[in-house]
Amino acid sequence: MFPENVDDSLLGVNHKQKRKRVALIGCGASGMCFLNALMTRKKRGDDVNNLLPFVTCFERASEPGGCWRGVNSDARDEPQNLACWYNDVWSNVAKECFEFADYTYHDHFGQSVPTFLPRKDLFQYFKQRTLSQDAALLDKGKHELHEIRFGTIVVNVSYNETCKVFMLATASFDPKADKKHKYNPTMVEEYDYCIWAAGIRGKPRIPRSLLTLLRSGINMLDKDICDTPFAGTILHSIHARSPDRLLPAVSRKRVVLIGDSDSAVDLSLHAVKLGASKVFVLSRSGYGACCYMGSWPCSKSAESGEDESAVEVHVAMPFRLIDNGKSIECGPVIWNHEEEVYQLEEEEDPILIKNVDTVIFCTGYVPNTEFLSESLRVNAEDLFTLCWSAPEDFTMRENPLTPDLGEVVPSHNLGFSGNLIPGMHRSVLISNPKMMYIMDINSDYPLLQLESEAWMCLAFCTGDMDFPAQEIIDEERQNQMLEEMNIAYLRWSVDPNYFEALYDLGDDHWTDNYDDTRTIQINEEYLGYYVGLIARNLKDSKYPVDFGTYGKLNDLGKKLVQLGFENIKLRHLLDPDNEESKWKTFRDVNPKALSSIYTSKIPTPLPKPWLEIKSNESI
């Protein structure tokens, strides 16, 4: 908590100014979206009677960009760079799904370019888009409507209930300080609004039970049995930022990735490019991004010398170490209806992965909110621990899966999707509507999602959007949760019973045929939900581009849905029986169906196979 007795010499009395004051924490993608929104509204003449606020942006790095920034090898382990992506990371989402109407890819590149791009090219596009509103927008120092303080760390944020202002304590950031270094505030200021835009890539999230298994060798099915600890290297995907750690851990090595998300997709392919002899991906659910790949590129088998898939995906989790900690036994995970938890299926034969050299956790991150007082925090872990129940008379709307699944009774304990974070309503903290968050937890349109949240936060600050009463919030959230229960590919993520029903459909079901009209319908319903929420938020916040609204998308909104479907479909176009599958990745698929919804420009194919493109090559 912030100390009650504040040194007057530290206190800046800025809350008395007529123009509202906003503290924006973070100058990564989220913060840049907010600053762009501020300048866009200023340029179109919205700043009547000081309507727009003055924004002070705090960023501990010396430049904007957040995790998008490129970092020199000698600075990768400095605290401000720990969450940065590795320099060779590529997008897993077609770039057309996050193109901006006010600054298109053709505006930036001057020509058509491939649909999948490396980090450095996407960052330059996004950064220049921000600067297109004001060439000095991201410069350090004070401007007419904003100030950016690079090299500044936020030590503490609290809320003064009496004065109705936020108290922000800050200090100069020392990149050479130990990561556990305790900073003493050198300045304390008051703000009317506070916006957390620090990014979800805070600290690595590693399941404790799996880490205990690897470090101690304790059998997860019988705690009394303890084998030798894992003999190889243990990393988290965050360590990929350092080539000095990643290259020796994967080159000519047998690698296990735990987790099946988009980061596991990119890291699997990156490991193959770096010369991994074999990559195994372990998925708990069987529904992550890795599980939807039509095929993976091939490598030579060390045993037979024949071509085989360089990546294998198994719906299983580790539970035992054998062979003196060199091999891992894994088993499938099932839903226990009585205890309502995931557990290992002991009756099925385990999967044995021999001679494992490296285990990399691709299990996500915990956002850094420790500098916020407890009353201002949103606990991201609530997404995984809190539950709700559907009404007893709930009946799902019919969809193409209904004939196969019948009426699935909802689980008693339903989870929350990333679209409905407990304690929040449309980016705003319910308990204190002056506290807001800009973050993308789950979206097929990541930057557009951040854009919509940034514009909403600004609209709440200006009063263009009113925060509703609690009874309206409760009604809207309940309706939205029930709507998600009516959408097949959203319900499976919150309802274990529906998840199991889908899982039991098995392989070779029509849902795996992306030319089947039923598959198209259920995917477009899922994507239409996301685009509908984005469209609603943008319309309510006076965004200059109209996508329609939730439940009634216009032609542009429908084109965005179609783009999302083509992006998903790309992964399934890979045919494992085709000779090209030996070298082809989803980034090598013909992208002609992914034309820009703003310019109609069709992206070009990559100039050579993705596996052959070096980090310093121009595409």
Side-chain angles (χ1 to χ4, degrees):
M1 287 294 293
F2 189 79
E4 293 183 3
N5 298 318
V6 179
D7 184 347
D8 289 340
S9 66
L10 302 181
L11 190 59
V13 187
N14 50 29
H15 69 284
K16 295 180 181 179
Q17 298 184 43
K18 183 177 180 181
R19 194 183 291 277
K20 296 293 184 182
R21 298 268 307 186
V22 173
L24 178 66
I25 302 174
C27 198
S30 301
M32 291 162 71
C33 279
F34 188 86
L35 293 174
N36 181 272
L38 181 71
M39 287 301 104
T40 300
R41 295 200 57 178
K42 176 181 179 292
K43 288 181 70 173
R44 76 179 184 190
D46 288 357
D47 192 26
V48 178
N49 295 324
N50 288 340
L51 176 71
L52 298 176
F54 187 89
V55 178
T56 303
C57 181
F58 301 93
E59 171 58 53
R60 67 176 176 173
S62 60
E63 59 184 344
C67 61
W68 290 71
R69 293 178 295 111
V71 179
N72 294 329
S73 58
D74 60 348
R76 289 191 175 279
D77 290 330
E78 292 181 0
Q80 76 277 18
N81 298 326
L82 293 179
C84 288
W85 288 320
Y86 52 97
N87 283 345
D88 292 340
V89 74
W90 281 57
S91 66
N92 286 329
V93 177
K95 73 180 193 307
E96 289 74 19
C97 289
F98 48 86
E99 183 175 20
F100 297 104
D102 60 348
Y103 189 74
T104 66
Y105 290 111
H106 196 265
D107 291 332
H108 181 73
F109 293 104
Q111 61 184 12
S112 293
V113 294
T115 194
F116 293 102
L117 295 173
R119 174 207 57 79
K120 61 181 183 296
D121 292 327
L122 283 172
F123 175 49
Q124 284 304 313
Y125 164 71
F126 185 58
K127 182 179 178 181
Q128 290 303 315
R129 183 263 177 162
T130 306
L131 295 175
S132 67
Q133 291 296 334
D134 180 349
L137 182 59
L138 297 177
D139 289 352
K140 183 176 182 178
K142 199 166 187 177
H143 305 260
E144 182 182 354
L145 284 181
H146 76 289
E147 177 183 8
I148 302 182
R149 298 182 191 171
F150 293 116
T152 301
I153 188 167
V154 178
V155 179
N156 181 275
V157 182
S158 62
Y159 187 71
N160 187 315
E161 289 285 354
T162 302
C163 300
K164 306 299 181 186
V165 293
F166 291 91
M167 307 283 287
L168 260 78
T170 59
S172 295
F173 176 70
D174 181 2
K176 301 301 182 182
D178 184 89
K179 64 181 180 180
K180 295 183 180 180
H181 175 70
K182 299 293 184 182
Y183 285 90
N184 292 317
T186 57
M187 181 177 289
V188 179
E189 296 173 289
E190 300 176 356
Y191 291 88
D192 301 291
Y193 296 91
C194 182
I195 300 174
W196 183 94
I200 62 173
R201 289 171 60 92
K203 296 172 291 185
R205 177 191 286 118
I206 300 179
R208 184 173 299 178
S209 59
L210 295 180
L211 188 60
T212 299
L213 165 68
L214 296 175
R215 286 181 172 174
S216 68
I218 294 177
N219 189 315
M220 289 184 65
L221 297 182
D222 188 342
K223 302 298 183 182
D224 294 329
I225 300 177
C226 184
D227 201 354
T228 306
F230 178 58
T233 302
I234 303 173
L235 300 174
H236 185 275
S237 59
I238 197 171
H239 297 124
R241 72 183 186 277
S242 176
D244 293 341
R245 296 186 70 175
L246 184 65
L247 182 60
V250 301
S251 180
R252 299 185 179 183
K253 301 294 176 61
R254 289 168 63 83
V255 182
V256 170
L257 303 186
I258 298 178
D260 58 5
S261 63
D262 280 319
S263 65
V265 171
D266 186 80
L267 201 50
S268 295
L269 293 174
H270 189 51
V272 173
K273 183 182 279 192
L274 292 177
S277 60
K278 188 77 174 185
V279 177
F280 301 88
V281 178
L282 300 181
S283 165
R284 185 188 73 174
S285 68
Y287 280 89
C290 288
C291 302
Y292 286 106
M293 203 66 65
S295 75
W296 298 86
C298 292
S299 61
K300 294 290 184 183
S301 169
E303 297 176 355
S304 67
E306 299 292 324
D307 287 328
E308 65 175 12
S309 177
V311 181
E312 288 184 14
V313 181
H314 298 285
V315 183
M317 284 285 110
F319 67 87
R320 182 178 348 196
L321 299 175
I322 61 173
D323 298 337
N324 292 318
K326 296 179 181 178
S327 301
I328 303 176
E329 279 192 323
C330 310
V333 176
I334 61 171
W335 177 250
N336 184 318
H337 288 277
E338 293 184 2
E339 299 183 17
E340 296 204 323
V341 295
Y342 286 102
Q343 65 181 34
L344 290 165
E345 173 55 88
E346 300 181 44
E347 297 180 359
E348 294 194 23
D349 293 334
I351 298 164
L352 177 61
I353 305 178
K354 297 181 179 179
N355 302 318
V356 178
D357 298 294
T358 302
V359 172
I360 304 178
F361 285 93
C362 298
T363 45
Y365 300 84
V366 178
N368 180 17
T369 59
E370 292 178 354
F371 54 84
L372 300 175
S373 64
E374 284 194 30
S375 64
L376 301 177
R377 293 180 197 170
V378 168
N379 187 359
E381 294 301 313
D382 286 348
L383 283 173
F384 309 102
T385 58
L386 296 184
C387 301
W388 66 284
S389 298
E392 293 185 3
D393 60 350
F394 172 79
T395 300
M396 187 178 187
R397 285 196 306 262
E398 289 194 3
N399 62 63
L401 283 164
T402 304
D404 295 343
L405 301 180
E407 182 58 38
V408 178
V409 177
S411 301
H412 178 67
N413 291 331
L414 301 172
F416 288 88
S417 72
N419 311 305
L420 287 161
I421 301 174
M424 286 186 64
H425 181 69
R426 297 180 75 173
S427 299
V428 177
L429 188 68
I430 295 175
S431 60
N432 185 341
K434 290 186 173 185
M435 181 73 207
M436 307 175 205
Y437 286 77
I438 304 175
M439 57 183 176
D440 169 40
I441 289 184
N442 182 23
S443 176
D444 288 78
Y445 307 90
L447 287 184
L448 194 55
Q449 176 69 30
L450 294 181
E451 179 89 337
S452 71
E453 293 188 10
W455 274 76
M456 268 200 308
C457 288
L458 182 55
F460 281 121
C461 292
T462 60
D464 291 309
M465 288 179 65
D466 294 322
F467 196 68
Q470 185 64 52
E471 56 269 21
I472 297 176
I473 292 174
D474 293 342
E475 182 180 358
E476 287 185 9
R477 289 177 62 83
Q478 181 71 9
N479 289 341
Q480 189 172 337
M481 289 189 290
L482 291 177
E483 179 62 14
E484 291 187 356
M485 286 287 288
N486 276 301
I487 299 173
Y489 283 176
L490 280 168
R491 182 177 174 184
W492 78 266
S493 67
V494 301
D495 183 359
N497 286 355
Y498 201 75
F499 167 86
E500 186 174 342
L502 284 178
Y503 185 79
D504 288 343
L505 291 175
D507 298 328
D508 299 322
H509 189 258
W510 56 259
T511 49
D512 293 324
N513 178 3
Y514 277 68
D515 290 322
D516 192 299
T517 56
R518 295 168 293 181
T519 303
I520 295 172
Q521 181 181 334
I522 58 175
N523 275 279
E524 288 187 344
E525 183 182 38
Y526 160 78
L527 293 165
Y529 172 82
Y530 281 106
V531 175
L533 293 181
I534 291 172
R536 177 202 66 185
N537 295 342
L538 292 175
K539 182 180 285 291
D540 289 350
S541 57
K542 299 186 177 182
Y543 193 67
V545 181
D546 185 12
F547 295 94
T549 190
Y550 184 77
K552 194 173 182 180
L553 297 174
N554 60 19
D555 288 343
L556 196 62
K558 292 175 182 177
K559 287 180 180 179
L560 194 57
V561 171
Q562 185 60 33
L563 267 182
F565 179 67
E566 294 296 338
N567 175 62
I568 293 173
K569 188 177 177 181
L570 275 178
R571 302 180 186 226
H572 297 265
L573 292 177
L574 296 167
D575 182 1
D577 298 324
N578 191 304
E579 185 68 18
E580 290 183 336
S581 68
K582 292 182 179 180
W583 58 266
K584 217 168 192 179
T585 71
F586 70 94
R587 294 173 179 137
D588 296 293
V589 174
N590 191 328
K592 63 182 180 181
L594 289 159
S595 60
S596 167
I597 63 175
Y598 305 115
T599 66
S600 299
K601 300 291 183 181
I602 298 174
T604 59
L606 290 172
K608 61 172 69 173
W610 181 83
L611 288 173
E612 297 178 11
I613 298 176
K614 306 301 182 183
S615 60
N616 58 353
E617 284 189 72
S618 172
I619 61 170

